[in-house]
């Protein structure tokens, strides 16, 4: 694997700004995560991405009044949906100021005051110990170079007995040769710090003091997402200047190739704070 420049909160923010300028962070209907199909391939991508949010919510054992942290909240759609459907309070954090503004608008329009957002880095959270009953992280850990530090920080702010649900990409086995080049390309274009194997996910959680209760690879159920995203990115490229269109085309090609790779998995993990 070639050495990538370090991923930082600022580099993540800049990358999301570039994708947002091109319209790409709205390409899947506002959620910035994969969709989930459990049979009917005709389900539209925006509905399928909400289904993924609902799977995360199901795992959080929610009841009215619980306080949750959404780690890497994107445009705020998952936090607002979960807050509204389960009558819980969700605080979302992101390192993108533009996403923060979008999420606040989303909450004002649909959140009924139960979802709020702030700028914060997951490795240094501005919250007291045990402030939350639970936390979820949908495709955000992959941007963080020291995941153990972030997971330890989440453990600090979640009360004993609280749950953490993580949804994240995984590579089912280490990528070598041309596969490693594909993965390098993904890391570079999407400002990803790394894509873990299931064993690495398991190890990071354990190192940070979480007790894993379930890990399910739903990779085959989310696989159509990559093709949807690639098609949307190519559609956007048509209205961009030449340099931006080339970058968007490259992003689409990598997304599509990753989505076709048999070892491209996707894990849903539930862990409990002892
Ligand atoms: C792929 S997007 C997922 C957004 C959202 N969870 C969703 O599902 O729509 C990744 C998110 O992680 C956030 N993120 C990346 N690094 C972070 C960090 N160190 N601390 C907090 N958030 C971070 C990004 O700002 C972005 O909101």
């Amino acid at each position: 694997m070639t050495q990538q420049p370090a991923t930082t909160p600022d580099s993540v923010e800049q990358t999301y700004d570039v994708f947002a300028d091109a319209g790409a962070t709205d390409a899947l209907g506002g959620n910035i995560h994969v969709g989930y199909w459990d049979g009917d391939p005709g389900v539209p991508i925006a509905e399928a991405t909400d289904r993924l949010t609902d799977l995360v919510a199901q795992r959080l054992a929610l009841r009215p009044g619980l306080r949750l942290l959404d780690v890497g909240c994107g445009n705020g759609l998952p936090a607002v949906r979960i807050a509204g459907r389960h009558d819980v309070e969700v605080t979302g954090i992101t390192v993108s100021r533009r996403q923060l503004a979008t999420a606040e608008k989303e909450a004002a329009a649909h959140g009924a005051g139960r979802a709020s957002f702030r700028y914060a880095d997951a490795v240094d959270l501005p919250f007291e110990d045990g402030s939350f009953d639970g936390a979820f992280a949908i495709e955000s850990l992959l941007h963080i170079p020291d995941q153990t530090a972030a997971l330890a920080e989440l453990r600090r702010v979640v009360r004993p007995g609280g749950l953490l649900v993580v949804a994240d990409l995984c590579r089912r086995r280490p990528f070598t040769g041309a596969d490693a080049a594909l993965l390098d390309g993904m890391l570079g274009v999407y400002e990803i710090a790394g894509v873990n194997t299931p064993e690495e996910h398991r190890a990071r959680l354990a190192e940070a003091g979480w007790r894993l209760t379930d890990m399910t690879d739903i990779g085959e159920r989310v696989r159509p997402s990559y093709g949807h995203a690639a098609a949307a990115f190519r559609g956007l490229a048509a209205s961009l200047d030449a340099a931006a269109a080339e970058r968007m085309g490259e992003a689409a090609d990598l997304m599509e190739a990753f989505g076709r790779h048999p070892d491209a998995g996707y894990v849903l993990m539930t862990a409990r704070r002892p």
Side-chain angles (χ1 to χ4, degrees), residues 8-9 12-13 16 30-33 52-53 70-78 93-96 99 120-123 136-144:
T8 65
V12 170
E13 179 174 43
Y16 277 107
N31 289 303
I32 315 176
H33 63 235
L52 193 277
T53 301
D70 177 0
V71 185
C73 61
N75 293 326
L77 273 71
I93 59 155
T94 174
V95 292
S96 159
Q99 287 175 4
D121 182 351
V123 301
F136 58 98
I138 307 178
E139 295 177 34
S140 52
L141 287 182
L142 79 181
H143 287 298
I144 301 176

Side-chain angles (χ1 to χ4, degrees), residues 245-266:
E246 193 181 329
R247 280 199 301 274
M248 195 54 73
E250 188 196 353
D253 292 348
L254 285 163
M255 181 73 82
E256 193 169 62
F258 185 77
R260 284 200 181 127
H261 198 290
D263 290 326
Y266 191 98

Side-chain angles (χ1 to χ4, degrees), residues 8-119:
T8 65
D10 286 348
S11 70
V12 170
E13 179 174 43
Q14 283 157 18
T15 298
Y16 277 107
D17 280 354
V18 170
F19 277 98
D21 281 342
T25 50
D26 288 325
L28 303 182
N31 289 303
I32 315 176
H33 63 235
V34 297
Y36 181 86
W37 288 265
D38 58 1
D40 180 359
V43 171
I45 179 73
E47 192 179 325
T49 54
D50 280 341
R51 286 182 173 191
L52 193 277
T53 301
D54 294 343
L55 281 182
V56 168
Q58 271 169 27
R59 288 176 162 244
L60 283 163
L62 298 174
R63 52 178 197 282
L66 290 187
R67 300 152 306 161
L68 297 169
L69 177 65
D70 177 0
V71 185
C73 61
N75 293 326
L77 273 71
V80 169
R81 183 174 175 89
I82 289 176
R85 294 190 141 213
H86 298 276
D87 196 15
V88 293
E89 272 174 41
V90 185
T91 303
I93 59 155
T94 174
V95 292
S96 159
R97 278 155 268 239
R98 187 186 302 208
Q99 287 175 4
L100 190 59
T102 307
E104 281 167 350
K105 279 192 202 129
E106 178 71 18
H110 307 290
R114 315 274 343 219
S116 60
F117 301 94
R118 62 192 287 180
Y119 178 96

Side-chain angles (χ1 to χ4, degrees), residues 131-248:
S131 306
F132 298 97
D133 298 298
F136 58 98
I138 307 178
E139 295 177 34
S140 52
L141 287 182
L142 79 181
H143 287 298
I144 301 176
D146 191 346
Q147 288 185 11
T148 303
L151 289 165
E153 190 61 348
L154 296 183
R155 182 184 187 278
R156 181 183 69 74
V157 302
V158 170
R159 66 162 171 79
L163 293 175
L164 168 67
V165 175
V166 176
D168 217 330
L169 305 187
C170 80
R171 54 196 164 107
R172 291 174 174 152
R173 49 186 67 82
F175 282 18
T176 55
D179 294 342
L182 164 64
L183 190 61
D184 271 359
M186 286 285 287
L187 304 192
V189 165
Y190 294 103
E191 203 57 22
I192 295 172
V195 175
N196 289 340
T197 60
E199 293 69 32
E200 287 165 343
H201 276 301
R202 211 182 290 276
R204 299 295 94 80
L205 283 163
E207 285 158 13
W210 287 96
R211 192 169 298 145
L212 183 68
T213 59
D214 182 71
M215 176 188 283
T216 306
D217 183 345
I218 58 167
E220 300 318 310
R221 307 246 180 214
V222 309
R223 201 175 281 287
S225 312
Y226 303 101
H228 280 281
F233 289 0
R234 290 192 183 109
L236 292 168
S239 58
L240 300 175
D241 66 41
E246 193 181 329
R247 280 199 301 274
M248 195 54 73

